[in-house]
Amino acid sequence: SRFPILYSLFVQFLTFASLKSKLTDSMIIDVPKEIKTNENRVALTPAGALELSKRGHKVYVQQGAGVNSGFTDAAYEQRGATILPTIEEVYKIAEMIIKVKEPIASEYPLIRKDQLLFTYFHFASYEPLTKAMIESGSVCLAYETVELPDRSLPLLVPMSEVAGRMAVQEGAKFLEKPEGGRGVLLGGVPGVAPANVLVLGGGIVGTQAAKMAAGLGAMVTILDVNLNRLRYLSDVMPPNVRTLYSNEVNIRELIGDHDLIIGAVLIPGAKAPMLITRDMLKSMRPGTVLVDVAVDQGGCIETCRPTTHDDPIFVIDGVVHYCVANMPGAVPYTSTIALTNATLPYAIKLADKGWKEASRQDAALKTGLNVVNGKVVYKGVADAFGLPLETVDSVL
């Protein structure tokens, strides 16, 4: 009170310092509309936008980005986000881009040096994307390689759960005769045997697929190379599910009398192993349905190639192939909420601390780094294309 001018200046200084700190610590986070064919998901729910906004971060969402998932622009604005009309504006101002699917060619020129992209990349399955991100100088943190100490993949799990369940749902549909299948009802009826379902891989996708198929009454066989996993599945699955060790002999013996075959194998960040070769199709009955959930990692069935929800199947040697690379995009309301539930805690860490410090402190985020400022720092990606591998510590 004796020095009102000095006191006033001191208060102004503290206010300015506090404001400067907030501005320094805040991050500009942008959510573009997904433009991959029939991709209806959005990377962040309005609830997720609110959680980031509450922490002082600026959240921008492209106009209409959430509409196909059931979230209006108004819902985002009510939770503190700002709507931007074009994808160009979204990329122009963003420090961190949160997406669902990997950028496609039209987005490559929009990506800037040092810009953080947090999304599914699946680099090992597509070299042009890998090269484009290297050239961009951006920081690519892939959902699918964020890995916990127990080797689980927390950001892949929710979409794997959706894809595993959908694999049976779609497989059952395409087993119908009008869709090109054998005309087999998955669960059969009294007096008529149910369908035989073969699941290649006993991970999240395979487990969910087996549960769905078994619940519908099919006879299910799960193959895996992990005996501990097979023991676990043998204990928890119902009586109409059996487990077998996965090898070429067993696969060749089984494919001839199974109606629906689901490829559900995964090697984190690397190309999927080839388990069904073209010559094996000759052993299958006409109308057998193949669903390759691993297609976004290159596929585990040699004859599979990525398809879309608009044109989901093709037929080779009488065998129906369903190879949609973004299966969860068909159920975007469920998928978007499930994805945000998993990604939001990591997005908050990245926003609060910056990608370098967050990755130093969180080993799971550290494993998510794939391409950083033109350097490949994930072994599976480097191996897939014969690229030089830098240590992740060298970029941190």
Side-chain angles (χ1 to χ4, degrees):
S1 59
R2 293 174 60 188
F3 306 99
I5 296 175
L6 289 175
Y7 180 77
S8 176
L9 289 171
F10 179 67
V11 170
Q12 289 180 46
F13 171 78
L14 288 180
T15 302
F16 173 77
S18 174
L19 179 60
K20 185 176 184 296
S21 174
K22 287 180 180 178
L23 288 172
T24 302
D25 293 339
S26 68
M27 181 178 279
I28 299 173
I29 303 161
D30 286 37
V31 181
K33 184 176 181 179
E34 298 294 324
I35 55 177
K36 190 167 185 175
T37 304
N38 284 317
E39 182 48 72
N40 296 303
R41 291 171 289 180
V42 64
L44 191 70
T45 63
L50 176 61
E51 293 304 316
L52 289 164
S53 297
K54 287 194 307 187
R55 288 164 170 79
H57 304 297
K58 300 293 184 182
V59 180
Y60 295 87
V61 178
Q62 186 182 343
Q63 186 175 24
V67 170
N68 287 341
S69 292
F71 305 112
T72 64
D73 291 344
Y76 285 102
E77 289 178 315
Q78 290 166 8
R79 303 319 191 274
T82 300
I83 302 299
L84 293 176
T86 68
I87 195 169
E88 288 79 12
E89 290 175 271
V90 167
Y91 275 96
K92 185 176 181 179
I93 66 170
E95 294 174 277
M96 174 164 67
I97 292 283
I98 305 179
K99 279 177 53 60
V100 178
K101 294 300 290 181
E102 73 282 353
I104 63 173
S106 62
E107 292 173 276
Y108 298 167
L110 304 177
I111 298 167
R112 307 192 318 271
K113 186 177 186 299
D114 295 324
Q115 195 169 52
L116 172 61
L117 277 75
F118 191 37
T119 187
Y120 289 116
F121 277 105
H122 299 291
F123 279 120
S125 66
Y126 193 51
E127 190 172 9
L129 170 67
T130 305
K131 289 186 173 179
M133 293 304 99
I134 290 171
E135 291 170 5
S136 73
S138 60
V139 178
C140 302
L141 208 157
Y143 292 163
E144 71 274 8
T145 64
V146 171
E147 185 176 318
L148 296 175
D150 64 359
R151 302 300 306 276
S152 63
L153 305 168
L155 306 190
L156 197 60
V157 166
M159 296 302 94
S160 295
E161 291 171 332
V162 173
R165 296 183 177 210
M166 281 194 67
V168 174
Q169 187 170 296
E170 297 300 320
K173 172 183 175 182
F174 287 102
L175 271 174
E176 297 172 8
K177 195 66 175 178
E179 304 293 341
R182 292 191 64 232
V184 176
L185 181 64
L186 212 60
V189 292
V192 181
N196 291 321
V197 177
L198 177 62
V199 180
L200 304 174
I204 301 297
V205 171
T207 300
Q208 296 300 318
K211 285 172 63 176
M212 284 288 284
L216 290 170
M219 299 301 296
V220 183
T221 302
I222 305 178
L223 272 63
D224 203 283
V225 294
N226 185 327
L227 287 174
N228 288 331
R229 185 65 181 177
L230 292 177
R231 290 186 183 103
Y232 167 77
L233 292 171
S234 183
D235 284 341
V236 301
M237 286 292 175
N240 55 330
V241 178
R242 64 170 178 163
T243 60
L244 282 177
Y245 191 80
S246 181
N247 57 43
E248 184 176 341
V249 170
N250 283 341
I251 292 172
R252 286 186 179 275
E253 288 181 355
L254 291 167
I255 57 176
D257 64 355
H258 279 70
D259 305 290
L260 171 60
I261 301 172
I262 297 172
V265 296
L266 171 72
I267 298 175
K271 196 166 183 178
M274 197 66 65
L275 299 183
I276 293 182
T277 55
R278 179 165 191 140
D279 70 289
M280 293 183 184
L281 268 58
K282 297 173 183 176
S283 302
M284 301 177 191
R285 295 175 295 197
T288 297
V289 175
L290 304 180
V291 178
D292 195 346
V293 184
V295 68
D296 56 5
Q297 286 288 90
C300 63
I301 299 170
E302 185 177 7
T303 46
C304 275
R305 54 176 172 75
T307 60
T308 67
H309 292 291
D310 273 344
D311 189 16
I313 65 166
F314 56 91
V315 179
I316 297 177
D317 294 342
V319 175
V320 179
H321 294 60
Y322 179 95
C323 312
V324 175
N326 60 329
M327 291 171 63
V331 286
Y333 180 78
T334 298
S335 297
T336 291
I337 296 174
L339 183 59
T340 298
N341 289 344
T343 59
L344 184 61
Y346 292 98
I348 289 172
K349 287 182 182 180
L350 291 166
D352 286 351
K353 300 174 182 179
W355 70 268
K356 280 190 177 182
E357 189 57 33
S359 298
R360 290 190 191 108
Q361 295 182 17
D362 190 325
L365 278 173
K366 188 175 178 179
T367 63
L369 292 169
N370 279 217
V371 177
V372 178
N373 299 141
K375 300 175 180 178
V376 176
V377 296
Y378 195 86
K379 188 176 186 300
V381 178
D383 289 348
F385 307 118
L387 297 169
L389 176 66
E390 302 285 341
T391 65
V392 70
D393 289 327
S394 71
V395 299
L396 294 177

